[in-house]
Amino acid sequence: QVLCLPQRVPHTRLPRRVPTLTIVTHILQENWEYQGAKYRHLLVTGGTDALHFYHLNTEHSQGEANTEFRGVRGPLKIFGFKGEGNYVQIWFSGCKSVFLSGYGGNASPFPFNCQYPPGYAQYPPSLFRLENVDSFVIANVITQDRSDTTSQCGLFNSGFSGNSFESSTWRSIFEVSPSGNFSTPSLEWPVLYARGMV
C-alpha cells in the first residue's frame, strides 16, 4: 500500500525545483516461506531526486534485509521506522545522504558473532547496515525487549516475526566504510549516530 503525496511549490519563486517523492507506507508480509536471500519488501536503487518516507514499516522479511536503499544519490529521509524479525531491517549501500529519525519495534538480530545462512551476505548481524554511505544521521533508536530469549546461532527457520535473541548478543548499527568497519556496542541504542552533514 503506497500513497504518494505531491508537494505544492510555486514554480515562479524557485529558479530550479528539486523533485521530491513523498511516500507513506506500511508493508507487511506474514507468508515468508518462499523468500530467498535476495528478497526485499522494498528495494530502491539509484536516483538523484529527494525521497521522503513518513513512517516506513517493512517487517518479517527473510531476505538479507527488509528494506534496501542502494546507490541512492539524492537526499533520503525516513521519519519513523518500525520493524520485526532477525534479518537487517534497513540496508543503506552506496547512498549519499541518509536521515532516519525514530526506530521502534521488537526486531531482534542474530547474535553478532553468528553467521547468516549460506547464500546471504556475510556481514555481522545488526538492525541497520550502513555500507559506504557518504553522510548520515540515525537518531532515536530503541528496541522492545522480548521474553524467552536465546543466544544460540543457526536458528534460521524462525517464523515470520523471528526468534528473540538476548539483546546483550546483538548490535543496533553495523557500518562498513573505506576506513574500516564499526558497530555500536551491545545494549546501546543510539540517540544520535551521525557522520558528515545531512
Side-chain angles (χ1 to χ4, degrees):
Q1 187 177 29
V2 175
L3 172 66
C4 294
L5 304 173
Q7 293 185 356
R8 291 190 159 180
V9 178
H11 295 293
T12 57
R13 296 184 186 226
L14 296 175
R16 180 178 173 272
R17 182 172 178 261
V18 177
T20 300
L21 178 61
T22 302
I23 299 173
V24 179
T25 184
H26 172 79
I27 300 171
L28 174 66
Q29 171 66 337
E30 301 294 347
N31 183 3
W32 48 268
E33 295 182 81
Y34 304 105
Q35 299 172 0
K38 301 304 177 196
Y39 175 83
R40 306 289 187 270
H41 281 328
L42 177 63
L43 172 63
V44 177
T45 58
T48 57
D49 293 345
L51 181 59
H52 299 169
F53 290 85
Y54 289 87
H55 195 79
L56 177 60
N57 182 196
T58 56
E59 54 189 40
H60 303 166
S61 168
Q62 297 274 320
E64 292 170 320
N66 279 286
T67 296
E68 182 177 353
F69 296 98
R70 182 168 292 279
V72 175
R73 303 310 291 165
L76 171 59
K77 294 183 179 183
I78 301 170
F79 300 93
F81 177 78
K82 189 239 181 197
E84 296 180 5
N86 300 130
Y87 294 89
V88 170
Q89 297 302 302
I90 303 179
W91 184 355
F92 301 100
S93 178
C95 297
K96 183 175 181 179
S97 174
V98 170
F99 176 85
L100 168 63
S101 177
Y103 166 77
N106 64 1
S108 178
F110 297 111
F112 194 70
N113 64 331
C114 294
Q115 291 188 337
Y116 286 111
Y120 283 67
Q122 293 300 319
Y123 291 100
S126 60
L127 280 175
F128 301 104
R129 182 180 301 147
L130 298 155
E131 180 184 16
N132 299 320
V133 175
D134 296 351
S135 64
F136 55 83
V137 170
I138 297 181
N140 301 318
V141 173
I142 189 69
T143 60
Q144 174 186 335
D145 258 346
R146 295 163 31 184
S147 60
D148 190 27
T149 61
T150 183
S151 60
Q152 181 181 348
C153 293
L155 300 175
F156 302 123
N157 191 9
S158 56
F160 69 88
S161 64
N163 291 309
S164 180
F165 292 100
E166 294 174 14
S167 53
S168 63
T169 66
W170 54 264
R171 312 296 170 90
S172 298
I173 298 170
F174 181 72
E175 182 187 352
V176 177
S177 73
S179 59
N181 300 344
F182 176 80
S183 72
T184 53
S186 295
L187 300 175
E188 284 201 15
W189 297 277
V191 170
L192 179 65
Y193 183 79
R195 183 180 318 283
M197 299 297 291
V198 174

